PDB file of all heavy atoms in Angstrom:
ATOM      1  N   LEU A  30      -1.302   5.734  12.827  1.00 49.00           N
ATOM      2  CA  LEU A  30       0.027   5.379  12.376  1.00 49.00           C
ATOM      3  C   LEU A  30       0.935   5.007  13.534  1.00 49.00           C
ATOM      4  O   LEU A  30       1.722   4.082  13.431  1.00 49.00           O
ATOM      5  CB  LEU A  30       0.654   6.537  11.592  1.00 49.00           C
ATOM      6  CG  LEU A  30       0.100   6.804  10.211  1.00 49.00           C
ATOM      7  CD1 LEU A  30       0.737   8.046   9.619  1.00 49.00           C
ATOM      8  CD2 LEU A  30       0.273   5.640   9.296  1.00 49.00           C
ATOM      9  N   GLU A  31       0.835   5.763  14.610  1.00 52.00           N
ATOM     10  CA  GLU A  31       1.706   5.497  15.753  1.00 52.00           C
ATOM     11  C   GLU A  31       1.436   4.113  16.337  1.00 52.00           C
ATOM     12  O   GLU A  31       2.366   3.402  16.699  1.00 52.00           O
ATOM     13  CB  GLU A  31       1.513   6.571  16.834  1.00 52.00           C
ATOM     14  CG  GLU A  31       1.951   7.956  16.406  1.00 52.00           C
ATOM     15  CD  GLU A  31       3.434   8.028  16.080  1.00 52.00           C
ATOM     16  OE1 GLU A  31       4.236   7.363  16.760  1.00 52.00           O
ATOM     17  OE2 GLU A  31       3.788   8.754  15.140  1.00 52.00           O
ATOM     18  N   LYS A  32       0.183   3.717  16.441  1.00 55.00           N
ATOM     19  CA  LYS A  32      -0.159   2.413  17.008  1.00 55.00           C
ATOM     20  C   LYS A  32       0.167   1.277  16.052  1.00 55.00           C
ATOM     21  O   LYS A  32       0.627   0.222  16.462  1.00 55.00           O
ATOM     22  CB  LYS A  32      -1.643   2.371  17.375  1.00 55.00           C
ATOM     23  CG  LYS A  32      -1.994   3.244  18.551  1.00 55.00           C
ATOM     24  CD  LYS A  32      -3.469   3.165  18.856  1.00 55.00           C
ATOM     25  CE  LYS A  32      -3.826   4.101  19.983  1.00 55.00           C
ATOM     26  NZ  LYS A  32      -5.249   4.088  20.267  1.00 55.00           N
ATOM     27  N   GLN A  33      -0.081   1.474  14.769  1.00 56.00           N
ATOM     28  CA  GLN A  33       0.121   0.420  13.788  1.00 56.00           C
ATOM     29  C   GLN A  33       1.595   0.134  13.527  1.00 56.00           C
ATOM     30  O   GLN A  33       1.987  -1.007  13.330  1.00 56.00           O
ATOM     31  CB  GLN A  33      -0.563   0.796  12.469  1.00 56.00           C
ATOM     32  CG  GLN A  33      -0.516  -0.288  11.426  1.00 56.00           C
ATOM     33  CD  GLN A  33      -1.356  -1.496  11.785  1.00 56.00           C
ATOM     34  OE1 GLN A  33      -2.352  -1.386  12.484  1.00 56.00           O
ATOM     35  NE2 GLN A  33      -0.954  -2.654  11.315  1.00 56.00           N
ATOM     36  N   PHE A  34       2.421   1.193  13.538  1.00 54.00           N
ATOM     37  CA  PHE A  34       3.835   1.055  13.194  1.00 54.00           C
ATOM     38  C   PHE A  34       4.691   1.598  14.333  1.00 54.00           C
ATOM     39  O   PHE A  34       5.040   2.775  14.357  1.00 54.00           O
ATOM     40  CB  PHE A  34       4.142   1.796  11.886  1.00 54.00           C
ATOM     41  CG  PHE A  34       3.250   1.368  10.756  1.00 54.00           C
ATOM     42  CD1 PHE A  34       2.259   2.209  10.282  1.00 54.00           C
ATOM     43  CD2 PHE A  34       3.389   0.104  10.193  1.00 54.00           C
ATOM     44  CE1 PHE A  34       1.428   1.812   9.256  1.00 54.00           C
ATOM     45  CE2 PHE A  34       2.564  -0.299   9.160  1.00 54.00           C
ATOM     46  CZ  PHE A  34       1.578   0.557   8.693  1.00 54.00           C
ATOM     47  N   ALA A  35       5.042   0.733  15.257  1.00 60.00           N
ATOM     48  CA  ALA A  35       5.780   1.151  16.442  1.00 60.00           C
ATOM     49  C   ALA A  35       7.196   1.616  16.104  1.00 60.00           C
ATOM     50  O   ALA A  35       7.742   2.481  16.770  1.00 60.00           O
ATOM     51  CB  ALA A  35       5.834   0.012  17.449  1.00 60.00           C
ATOM     52  N   ARG A  36       7.794   1.060  15.058  1.00 66.00           N
ATOM     53  CA  ARG A  36       9.163   1.410  14.677  1.00 66.00           C
ATOM     54  C   ARG A  36       9.151   2.226  13.392  1.00 66.00           C
ATOM     55  O   ARG A  36       8.363   1.964  12.487  1.00 66.00           O
ATOM     56  CB  ARG A  36      10.000   0.152  14.469  1.00 66.00           C
ATOM     57  CG  ARG A  36      10.196  -0.646  15.722  1.00 66.00           C
ATOM     58  CD  ARG A  36      10.937  -1.930  15.506  1.00 66.00           C
ATOM     59  NE  ARG A  36      11.903  -1.880  14.417  1.00 66.00           N
ATOM     60  CZ  ARG A  36      12.548  -2.942  13.954  1.00 66.00           C
ATOM     61  NH1 ARG A  36      12.328  -4.127  14.483  1.00 66.00           N
ATOM     62  NH2 ARG A  36      13.406  -2.826  12.976  1.00 66.00           N
ATOM     63  N   SER A  37      10.072   3.186  13.285  1.00 65.00           N
ATOM     64  CA  SER A  37      10.087   4.051  12.100  1.00 65.00           C
ATOM     65  C   SER A  37      10.797   3.421  10.905  1.00 65.00           C
ATOM     66  O   SER A  37      10.778   3.975   9.820  1.00 65.00           O
ATOM     67  CB  SER A  37      10.735   5.399  12.431  1.00 65.00           C
ATOM     68  OG  SER A  37      12.090   5.219  12.780  1.00 65.00           O
ATOM     69  N   ASP A  38      11.409   2.239  11.060  1.00 77.00           N
ATOM     70  CA  ASP A  38      12.094   1.607   9.932  1.00 77.00           C
ATOM     71  C   ASP A  38      11.264   0.512   9.258  1.00 77.00           C
ATOM     72  O   ASP A  38      11.705  -0.091   8.289  1.00 77.00           O
ATOM     73  CB  ASP A  38      13.440   1.034  10.369  1.00 77.00           C
ATOM     74  CG  ASP A  38      13.321  -0.037  11.440  1.00 77.00           C
ATOM     75  OD1 ASP A  38      12.218  -0.230  12.004  1.00 77.00           O
ATOM     76  OD2 ASP A  38      14.348  -0.681  11.729  1.00 77.00           O
ATOM     77  N   LEU A  39      10.070   0.266   9.711  1.00 79.00           N
ATOM     78  CA  LEU A  39       9.235  -0.784   9.127  1.00 79.00           C
ATOM     79  C   LEU A  39       8.828  -0.485   7.682  1.00 79.00           C
ATOM     80  O   LEU A  39       8.481  -1.389   6.939  1.00 79.00           O
ATOM     81  CB  LEU A  39       7.992  -1.024   9.979  1.00 79.00           C
ATOM     82  CG  LEU A  39       8.258  -1.650  11.348  1.00 79.00           C
ATOM     83  CD1 LEU A  39       6.960  -1.781  12.131  1.00 79.00           C
ATOM     84  CD2 LEU A  39       8.921  -3.005  11.202  1.00 79.00           C
ATOM     85  N   TYR A  40       8.899   0.770   7.291  1.00 83.00           N
ATOM     86  CA  TYR A  40       8.534   1.130   5.919  1.00 83.00           C
ATOM     87  C   TYR A  40       9.394   0.381   4.901  1.00 83.00           C
ATOM     88  O   TYR A  40       8.928   0.061   3.810  1.00 83.00           O
ATOM     89  CB  TYR A  40       8.642   2.640   5.702  1.00 83.00           C
ATOM     90  CG  TYR A  40      10.053   3.155   5.630  1.00 83.00           C
ATOM     91  CD1 TYR A  40      10.691   3.302   4.409  1.00 83.00           C
ATOM     92  CD2 TYR A  40      10.758   3.488   6.779  1.00 83.00           C
ATOM     93  CE1 TYR A  40      11.993   3.765   4.337  1.00 83.00           C
ATOM     94  CE2 TYR A  40      12.045   3.958   6.722  1.00 83.00           C
ATOM     95  CZ  TYR A  40      12.657   4.089   5.504  1.00 83.00           C
ATOM     96  OH  TYR A  40      13.944   4.558   5.433  1.00 83.00           O
ATOM     97  N   LEU A  41      10.659   0.103   5.234  1.00 88.00           N
ATOM     98  CA  LEU A  41      11.542  -0.614   4.305  1.00 88.00           C
ATOM     99  C   LEU A  41      10.968  -1.986   3.960  1.00 88.00           C
ATOM    100  O   LEU A  41      10.946  -2.391   2.802  1.00 88.00           O
ATOM    101  CB  LEU A  41      12.931  -0.772   4.910  1.00 88.00           C
ATOM    102  CG  LEU A  41      13.724   0.520   5.091  1.00 88.00           C
ATOM    103  CD1 LEU A  41      14.947   0.284   5.966  1.00 88.00           C
ATOM    104  CD2 LEU A  41      14.108   1.098   3.751  1.00 88.00           C
ATOM    105  N   PHE A  42      10.483  -2.687   4.976  1.00 87.00           N
ATOM    106  CA  PHE A  42       9.906  -4.015   4.763  1.00 87.00           C
ATOM    107  C   PHE A  42       8.591  -3.924   3.996  1.00 87.00           C
ATOM    108  O   PHE A  42       8.305  -4.754   3.141  1.00 87.00           O
ATOM    109  CB  PHE A  42       9.704  -4.730   6.102  1.00 87.00           C
ATOM    110  CG  PHE A  42      10.974  -4.842   6.887  1.00 87.00           C
ATOM    111  CD1 PHE A  42      11.206  -4.019   7.975  1.00 87.00           C
ATOM    112  CD2 PHE A  42      11.951  -5.759   6.529  1.00 87.00           C
ATOM    113  CE1 PHE A  42      12.385  -4.112   8.688  1.00 87.00           C
ATOM    114  CE2 PHE A  42      13.131  -5.863   7.234  1.00 87.00           C
ATOM    115  CZ  PHE A  42      13.355  -5.035   8.324  1.00 87.00           C
ATOM    116  N   GLU A  43       7.796  -2.919   4.310  1.00 87.00           N
ATOM    117  CA  GLU A  43       6.505  -2.750   3.634  1.00 87.00           C
ATOM    118  C   GLU A  43       6.687  -2.449   2.147  1.00 87.00           C
ATOM    119  O   GLU A  43       6.009  -3.024   1.294  1.00 87.00           O
ATOM    120  CB  GLU A  43       5.687  -1.641   4.304  1.00 87.00           C
ATOM    121  CG  GLU A  43       5.229  -1.963   5.706  1.00 87.00           C
ATOM    122  CD  GLU A  43       4.184  -3.066   5.766  1.00 87.00           C
ATOM    123  OE1 GLU A  43       3.585  -3.407   4.721  1.00 87.00           O
ATOM    124  OE2 GLU A  43       3.955  -3.591   6.865  1.00 87.00           O
ATOM    125  N   VAL A  44       7.600  -1.545   1.827  1.00 90.00           N
ATOM    126  CA  VAL A  44       7.842  -1.191   0.421  1.00 90.00           C
ATOM    127  C   VAL A  44       8.411  -2.392  -0.328  1.00 90.00           C
ATOM    128  O   VAL A  44       8.005  -2.682  -1.461  1.00 90.00           O
ATOM    129  CB  VAL A  44       8.770   0.041   0.328  1.00 90.00           C
ATOM    130  CG1 VAL A  44       9.211   0.290  -1.102  1.00 90.00           C
ATOM    131  CG2 VAL A  44       8.081   1.268   0.884  1.00 90.00           C
ATOM    132  N   LEU A  45       9.323  -3.115   0.296  1.00 92.00           N
ATOM    133  CA  LEU A  45       9.891  -4.306  -0.335  1.00 92.00           C
ATOM    134  C   LEU A  45       8.821  -5.371  -0.542  1.00 92.00           C
ATOM    135  O   LEU A  45       8.733  -5.981  -1.614  1.00 92.00           O
ATOM    136  CB  LEU A  45      11.042  -4.856   0.507  1.00 92.00           C
ATOM    137  CG  LEU A  45      11.756  -6.076  -0.064  1.00 92.00           C
ATOM    138  CD1 LEU A  45      12.329  -5.791  -1.443  1.00 92.00           C
ATOM    139  CD2 LEU A  45      12.850  -6.524   0.896  1.00 92.00           C
ATOM    140  N   GLN A  46       7.964  -5.591   0.452  1.00 90.00           N
ATOM    141  CA  GLN A  46       6.902  -6.584   0.321  1.00 90.00           C
ATOM    142  C   GLN A  46       5.926  -6.214  -0.794  1.00 90.00           C
ATOM    143  O   GLN A  46       5.478  -7.072  -1.549  1.00 90.00           O
ATOM    144  CB  GLN A  46       6.146  -6.744   1.642  1.00 90.00           C
ATOM    145  CG  GLN A  46       5.092  -7.840   1.598  1.00 90.00           C
ATOM    146  CD  GLN A  46       5.698  -9.209   1.334  1.00 90.00           C
ATOM    147  OE1 GLN A  46       6.567  -9.642   2.077  1.00 90.00           O
ATOM    148  NE2 GLN A  46       5.253  -9.888   0.286  1.00 90.00           N
ATOM    149  N   ASN A  47       5.611  -4.915  -0.922  1.00 89.00           N
ATOM    150  CA  ASN A  47       4.728  -4.479  -2.009  1.00 89.00           C
ATOM    151  C   ASN A  47       5.352  -4.774  -3.367  1.00 89.00           C
ATOM    152  O   ASN A  47       4.669  -5.201  -4.302  1.00 89.00           O
ATOM    153  CB  ASN A  47       4.418  -2.990  -1.881  1.00 89.00           C
ATOM    154  CG  ASN A  47       3.440  -2.692  -0.772  1.00 89.00           C
ATOM    155  OD1 ASN A  47       2.801  -3.590  -0.243  1.00 89.00           O
ATOM    156  ND2 ASN A  47       3.346  -1.431  -0.404  1.00 89.00           N
ATOM    157  N   ALA A  48       6.664  -4.549  -3.492  1.00 93.00           N
ATOM    158  CA  ALA A  48       7.347  -4.836  -4.759  1.00 93.00           C
ATOM    159  C   ALA A  48       7.281  -6.331  -5.076  1.00 93.00           C
ATOM    160  O   ALA A  48       6.993  -6.723  -6.208  1.00 93.00           O
ATOM    161  CB  ALA A  48       8.804  -4.368  -4.679  1.00 93.00           C
ATOM    162  N   VAL A  49       7.524  -7.170  -4.077  1.00 93.00           N
ATOM    163  CA  VAL A  49       7.456  -8.622  -4.268  1.00 93.00           C
ATOM    164  C   VAL A  49       6.039  -9.033  -4.657  1.00 93.00           C
ATOM    165  O   VAL A  49       5.837  -9.816  -5.589  1.00 93.00           O
ATOM    166  CB  VAL A  49       7.922  -9.357  -2.995  1.00 93.00           C
ATOM    167  CG1 VAL A  49       7.617 -10.846  -3.074  1.00 93.00           C
ATOM    168  CG2 VAL A  49       9.408  -9.120  -2.767  1.00 93.00           C
ATOM    169  N   ASP A  50       5.050  -8.487  -3.971  1.00 89.00           N
ATOM    170  CA  ASP A  50       3.650  -8.809  -4.283  1.00 89.00           C
ATOM    171  C   ASP A  50       3.272  -8.400  -5.706  1.00 89.00           C
ATOM    172  O   ASP A  50       2.399  -9.006  -6.318  1.00 89.00           O
ATOM    173  CB  ASP A  50       2.702  -8.128  -3.294  1.00 89.00           C
ATOM    174  CG  ASP A  50       2.755  -8.744  -1.904  1.00 89.00           C
ATOM    175  OD1 ASP A  50       3.321  -9.848  -1.750  1.00 89.00           O
ATOM    176  OD2 ASP A  50       2.233  -8.113  -0.971  1.00 89.00           O
ATOM    177  N   ASP A  51       3.939  -7.356  -6.220  1.00 90.00           N
ATOM    178  CA  ASP A  51       3.662  -6.889  -7.581  1.00 90.00           C
ATOM    179  C   ASP A  51       4.531  -7.589  -8.622  1.00 90.00           C
ATOM    180  O   ASP A  51       4.562  -7.181  -9.789  1.00 90.00           O
ATOM    181  CB  ASP A  51       3.843  -5.376  -7.670  1.00 90.00           C
ATOM    182  CG  ASP A  51       2.679  -4.629  -7.045  1.00 90.00           C
ATOM    183  OD1 ASP A  51       1.585  -5.211  -6.931  1.00 90.00           O
ATOM    184  OD2 ASP A  51       2.862  -3.452  -6.672  1.00 90.00           O
ATOM    185  N   GLY A  52       5.252  -8.630  -8.199  1.00 94.00           N
ATOM    186  CA  GLY A  52       6.024  -9.438  -9.139  1.00 94.00           C
ATOM    187  C   GLY A  52       7.379  -8.870  -9.523  1.00 94.00           C
ATOM    188  O   GLY A  52       7.947  -9.275 -10.540  1.00 94.00           O
TER     189      GLY A  52
END
Side-chain angles (χ1 to χ4, degrees):
L30 288 175
E31 295 298 323
K32 290 180 183 178
Q33 185 68 29
F34 306 108
R36 295 176 31 188
S37 64
D38 61 350
L39 292 177
Y40 73 94
L41 293 168
F42 303 104
E43 293 292 345
V44 171
L45 182 58
Q46 184 62 57
N47 286 347
V49 169
D50 289 346
D51 284 338

